[in-house]
Amino acid sequence: MLYKQLRQVCEEHVQAQIHQFREYPSSLDSLSFLKRMNRCWQDHCRQTVRREWVSQGRTVVGIFCLLIADTGLELFRTHIVSDSAVQSRTVDGILEQIERERNGETIDRSLLRSLLGMLADLQVYKDSFEQRFLVETNRLYAAEGQRLMQDRDVPEYLHHVSRRLDEENDRVISYLDQSTQKPLISTVEKQLLGEHMAAILQKGLSNLLDENRVTELTLLYQLFSKVKGGLPVLLQHWREYIKSFGGEIVGTPEKDKDMVQDLLDFKDKMDNVAQRCFNRNETFINAMKEAFESFINKRPNKPAELIAKYVDSKLRAGNKEATEEELERILDKIMIIFRFIHGKDVFEAFYKKDLAKRLLVGKSASVDAEKSMLSKLKHECGAAFTSKLEGMFKDMELSKDIMIQFKQYMQNQSDPSNIDLTVNILTMGYWPSYTPMDVHLPSEMVKLQEVFKTFYLGKHSGRKLQWQPTLGHAVLKAEFKEGKKELQVSLFQTLVLLMFNEGEEFTVEEIRSATGIEEGELRRTLQSLACGKARVLNKNPRGKDVEDGDRFVFNGDFKHKLFRIKINQIQMKETVEEQVSTTERVFQDRQYQIDAAVVRIMKMRKTLSHNLLVSELYNQLKFPVKPGDLKKRIESLIDRDYMERDKESPNQYHYVA
């Protein structure tokens, strides 16, 4: 009876409060309405929930007090907050305050915290406030996203989105109910990011990557990782960017001289983005590798050739720009780019040609670096790939041993030569093929060659020696007015200079017939002696180029601060013909490899359909090949009776034993 009477008193009291809200003038601002509502709520709480009542615990008095407290909440909800006009005005006021804060104004957060706490305590928070709040949030950010995507550049937009998300999270901590956080953040992400993902990436990803904007790229990744489908779309655009940018590097012939350095720099840059900005995400790293492999093979052969040349420039003596550790690092980076290349046999052909020059002219910067590179190639491509290259090193070491024996042999000769001869014996299959050139050597040289031939064939009967004058070099003693000098020269330069022991002046034609040097080679040789930095010959008339009527005289007035002078041969830039011939040799080798693979497969399987044979060939061949090329090789083998077509089914082949 006490409870009923008390409830009635309370109900009358609460009903009396409603009038002040219903009759509140609409002309007054919403803030004063909210403050009045908050005061009313605070008074109500003080009156219905007294601490000393609650502390009575589970006694009869305690239970009675809790009952009164629950009744107080129920009455406030029923008579005040559930009144549609009052509820609407309260929620409108709260939403207005939030909108003001979102627009940069300062608001009374404690007031909102108290009122939203009231709605939660009265169990009307979700229905009366949260649904409307999320609808308003959705509308606000949909409009803001559309507007800012037009007005701002991508870095600015990303920072704005990040700031908005921080603000909304702060609102949850300050005054919203915790349950609102997930749908609220999801709404903001959807409207500011989800709806504009493709536009953000199309408008700004290339610029961010071009300018290496690490902070913004990190932010982009973090934001996209929060949105459903964000990372896959970022991954796709990242892959396309790498293919496009890399395709430009590889596909622009005018920039070939910088291609490899550009590729290394680009790879470093993309690695840095993947590591620092994309959280070392394995999917992104794999996509980068696929993209590199895709664009680098769009232009067959050339990247492989240029990588070989780049390695040559780093391993050649005179490359002062790198310590041994730096060189090792550069070679490791080169191997990463090398891995992407399909036509590794093209690299091998050019690498072999350059390695031969380094070894024979003694131009290698470091034997350790050479062997390190060789072991990297062996690890990457297997022993078969490097067997010829290793053979070249073996030849150089064996040649040193043979020369020690030859020196001892010469000491026992009755007629010792005053020329000190050093010979490198090269196994023909290991080294690049050199065009033989017959030149007229002085009789002392010819005699010494014969002595060496007798010595060598005495130890290795059945072998054949073929001299390569194009690779020879010598040290000449020369007397000038200033005194004696030593000249370090090529064999062709040697033959020309020795002529001036016999006469004062010679024409181009006289030198050609006396030495037998091929015309183009002779012109370059004379140019190096009479038009370079160390001019031991004088040319009449003077000029940079050698013409048919030019005459040459020994320059007795030649001066130089060094005693031993290296006269560089005028390097003929690798001609288009040379490049074509190296590439053609690779193509020829590929044909032999295809033939061998077809015969090997057919010998094992005996009978096979065309499609299965082609599929098996693709598995075995280590270089890119077109189906048309395979078809030609199969036709060639049928013509040469290694295999035959089935009479019933032309797509079936039989091995012919």
Side-chain angles (χ1 to χ4, degrees):
M1 196 163 72
L2 174 63
Y3 169 71
K4 279 180 184 173
Q5 287 176 2
L6 189 56
R7 179 187 167 101
Q8 189 179 347
V9 171
C10 288
E11 191 162 8
E12 286 165 4
H13 172 74
V14 171
Q15 280 173 334
Q17 300 293 321
I18 193 75
H19 301 298
Q20 63 174 313
F21 297 113
R22 279 184 184 158
E23 292 159 12
Y24 195 83
S26 56
S27 57
L28 292 175
D29 69 333
S30 61
L31 184 58
S32 54
F33 179 86
L34 293 178
K35 284 179 177 173
R36 178 171 289 193
M37 174 61 76
N38 187 45
R39 248 191 332 271
C40 179
W41 167 246
Q42 295 297 339
D43 290 347
H44 181 76
C45 288
R46 263 196 308 278
Q47 289 159 352
T48 56
V49 184
R50 295 282 294 275
R51 250 193 222 103
E52 58 269 29
W53 293 359
V54 176
S55 64
Q56 296 294 327
R58 300 192 63 161
T59 62
V60 172
V61 175
I63 291 165
F64 181 76
C65 293
L66 288 172
L67 210 56
I68 292 296
D70 284 347
T71 303
L73 292 177
E74 181 207 326
L75 292 173
F76 201 89
R77 179 172 61 237
T78 308
H79 294 293
I80 295 181
V81 173
S82 291
D83 183 279
S84 60
V86 174
Q87 186 187 99
S88 177
R89 195 155 181 196
T90 305
V91 172
D92 284 349
I94 294 171
L95 291 175
E96 186 188 321
Q97 290 301 304
I98 294 173
E99 188 171 348
R100 285 184 171 202
E101 189 181 44
R102 282 172 171 166
N103 290 335
E105 293 181 35
T106 305
I107 62 163
D108 184 350
R109 285 183 153 202
S110 62
L111 174 65
L112 293 197
R113 184 164 55 246
S114 175
L115 289 170
L116 290 168
M118 170 190 83
L119 297 178
D121 288 346
L122 300 175
Q123 295 172 353
V124 294
Y125 177 88
K126 268 201 170 356
D127 295 338
S128 68
F129 169 75
E130 188 181 81
Q131 286 176 4
R132 278 189 61 195
F133 171 66
L134 292 174
V135 167
E136 286 300 312
T137 302
N138 197 61
R139 180 191 58 74
L140 171 84
Y141 285 122
E144 184 172 285
Q146 292 286 354
R147 187 179 74 256
L148 295 184
M149 270 307 293
Q150 305 272 320
D151 299 346
R152 297 193 182 180
D153 62 12
V154 167
E156 213 181 335
Y157 185 79
L158 292 173
H159 285 295
H160 176 80
V161 174
S162 177
R163 194 168 57 250
R164 280 306 207 189
L165 286 167
D166 290 345
E167 286 170 7
E168 296 303 337
N169 275 311
D170 185 45
R171 263 177 209 110
V172 174
I173 294 164
S174 296
Y175 53 78
L176 294 170
D177 191 81
Q178 193 60 40
S179 64
T180 308
Q181 184 174 31
K182 204 172 175 183
L184 169 62
I185 298 303
S186 171
T187 301
V188 180
E189 286 170 351
K190 178 176 181 293
Q191 291 304 340
L192 293 185
L193 287 171
E195 296 293 329
H196 306 287
M197 286 193 296
I200 290 170
L201 294 173
Q202 281 159 10
K203 187 178 175 183
L205 181 64
S206 294
N207 287 345
L208 295 180
L209 289 166
D210 287 345
E211 294 165 19
N212 204 24
R213 303 276 290 263
V214 172
T215 308
E216 283 75 17
L217 285 165
T218 307
L219 182 56
L220 178 74
Y221 179 84
Q222 287 168 352
L223 292 173
F224 272 56
S225 61
K226 295 173 179 181
V227 185
K228 189 181 177 187
L231 287 186
V233 75
L234 175 58
L235 180 76
Q236 183 57 33
H237 279 77
W238 148 263
R239 189 190 282 118
E240 292 307 320
Y241 171 83
I242 294 173
K243 284 184 186 176
S244 164
F245 194 96
E248 288 254 324
I249 296 174
V250 171
T252 315
E254 306 84 71
K255 294 184 182 173
D256 277 358
K257 66 178 173 49
D258 299 321
M259 183 201 286
V260 180
Q261 190 57 55
D262 288 349
L263 283 173
L264 290 172
D265 294 344
F266 183 49
K267 181 70 172 60
D268 277 351
K269 190 173 163 184
M270 293 301 100
D271 280 340
N272 184 46
V273 171
Q275 297 290 324
R276 289 179 60 189
C277 309
F278 295 169
N279 203 24
R280 294 188 173 87
N281 186 319
E282 206 61 43
T283 317
F284 278 75
I285 292 169
N286 290 336
M288 172 173 63
K289 289 176 184 170
E290 287 163 23
F292 264 83
E293 190 174 342
S294 163
F295 77 70
I296 215 165
N297 291 296
K298 279 277 192 298
R299 186 178 173 196
N301 304 341
K302 199 66 187 177
E305 175 195 329
L306 293 173
I307 289 171
K309 291 203 173 93
Y310 183 87
V311 175
D312 175 55
S313 73
K314 296 297 173 193
L315 291 178
R316 216 183 297 144
N319 172 28
K320 302 279 193 296
E321 63 193 67
T323 62
E324 281 190 24
E325 292 80 15
E326 285 167 344
L327 184 56
E328 190 65 20
R329 239 187 341 267
I330 289 167
L331 296 180
D332 282 335
K333 287 181 177 181
I334 280 285
M335 288 309 296
I336 292 169
I337 301 290
F338 172 74
R339 255 174 225 136
F340 298 132
I341 284 173
H342 291 163
K344 291 183 169 62
D345 48 352
V346 175
F347 170 89
E348 186 202 7
F350 283 96
Y351 185 80
K352 183 162 95 171
K353 190 159 66 67
D354 293 331
L355 174 63
K357 279 184 194 168
R358 293 198 298 277
L359 293 179
L360 296 174
V361 188
K363 272 296 192 84
S364 191
S366 139
V367 175
D368 289 343
E370 293 283 6
K371 294 205 167 164
S372 165
M373 184 64 191
L374 214 54
S375 89
K376 291 180 203 300
L377 290 169
K378 190 173 187 175
H379 180 260
E380 187 62 37
C381 306
F385 187 84
T386 54
S387 61
K388 289 181 181 177
L389 304 174
E390 287 172 321
M392 290 161 76
F393 279 97
K394 215 171 284 171
D395 279 352
M396 296 305 286
E397 283 160 17
L398 286 172
S399 295
K400 283 178 192 166
D401 296 340
I402 289 168
M403 288 324 297
I404 293 167
Q405 295 165 22
F406 179 63
K407 297 261 189 300
Q408 291 166 348
Y409 175 80
M410 286 302 288
Q411 284 166 4
N412 301 327
Q413 293 295 304
S414 54
D415 182 18
S417 169
N418 61 348
I419 302 175
D420 186 10
L421 175 71
T422 304
V423 182
N424 287 317
I425 298 99
L426 316 179
T427 310
M428 203 170 241
Y430 294 158
W431 297 75
S433 50
Y434 300 104
T435 312
M437 193 186 289
D438 286 327
V439 291
H440 309 148
L441 297 175
S443 55
E444 304 99 297
M445 283 191 186
V446 174
K447 183 182 167 192
L448 201 49
Q449 278 189 348
E450 288 305 316
V451 172
F452 180 80
K453 191 175 177 183
T454 308
F455 157 77
Y456 184 77
L457 296 179
K459 286 185 168 296
H460 305 280
S461 59
R463 293 193 181 174
K464 185 185 171 191
L465 285 178
Q466 183 185 51
W467 296 89
Q468 287 287 357
T470 50
L471 304 172
H473 47 94
V475 176
L476 294 180
K477 291 174 181 169
E479 271 191 57
F480 300 97
K481 287 176 185 172
E482 190 187 52
K484 292 183 177 180
K485 299 278 184 193
E486 284 187 357
L487 306 176
Q488 209 174 329
V489 285
S490 73
L491 183 60
F492 293 153
Q493 289 170 327
T494 303
L495 298 181
V496 171
L497 290 173
L498 288 176
M499 287 183 67
F500 291 88
N501 286 339
E502 312 299 328
E504 290 290 318
E505 185 180 76
F506 297 97
T507 64
V508 175
E509 192 48 55
E510 286 167 341
I511 297 171
R512 186 186 301 132
S513 60
T515 60
I517 300 172
E518 179 267 328
E519 187 173 343
E521 199 65 63
L522 178 63
R523 284 178 190 276
R524 280 193 298 281
T525 303
L526 288 168
Q527 215 177 352
S528 68
L529 296 169
C531 310
K533 285 182 183 171
R535 301 184 178 188
V536 290
L537 298 181
N538 284 330
K539 181 173 87 76
N540 291 319
R542 299 181 73 148
K544 282 189 176 178
D545 295 318
V546 174
E547 306 297 340
D548 283 346
D550 290 352
R551 306 181 73 78
F552 293 86
V553 185
F554 178 68
N555 178 14
D557 298 325
F558 174 76
K559 290 180 181 177
H560 203 285
K561 60 181 179 184
L562 299 175
F563 173 67
R564 178 177 278 198
I565 303 129
K566 183 172 185 347
I567 301 178
N568 288 324
Q569 181 74 305
I570 298 289
Q571 286 298 318
M572 176 176 63
K573 285 228 163 112
E574 190 178 40
T575 60
V576 175
E577 290 80 19
E578 262 191 292
Q579 288 182 339
V580 168
S581 75
T582 307
T583 311
E584 275 176 357
R585 267 202 310 279
V586 172
F587 183 68
Q588 193 61 54
D589 285 348
R590 284 181 179 181
Q591 290 190 317
Y592 297 146
Q593 286 183 56
I594 295 170
D595 289 359
V598 172
V599 171
R600 202 165 48 241
I601 293 164
M602 290 307 299
K603 191 173 182 181
M604 194 169 68
R605 298 294 189 88
K606 302 299 185 239
T607 298
L608 212 56
S609 72
H610 176 79
N611 288 348
L612 282 174
L613 174 57
V614 168
S615 156
E616 194 71 42
L617 283 168
Y618 276 127
N619 289 337
Q620 289 197 18
L621 296 171
K622 291 187 171 66
F623 47 83
V625 60
K626 294 174 185 159
D629 294 335
L630 292 180
K631 202 170 179 188
K632 281 179 195 166
R633 299 319 305 157
I634 292 168
E635 294 295 342
S636 165
L637 289 168
I638 291 171
D639 292 344
R640 288 178 283 156
D641 293 334
Y642 282 95
M643 53 199 281
E644 62 184 10
R645 286 186 191 281
D646 188 279
K647 290 177 176 61
E648 304 288 319
S649 166
N651 255 355
Q652 198 88 355
Y653 303 120
H654 301 292
Y655 176 66
V656 177

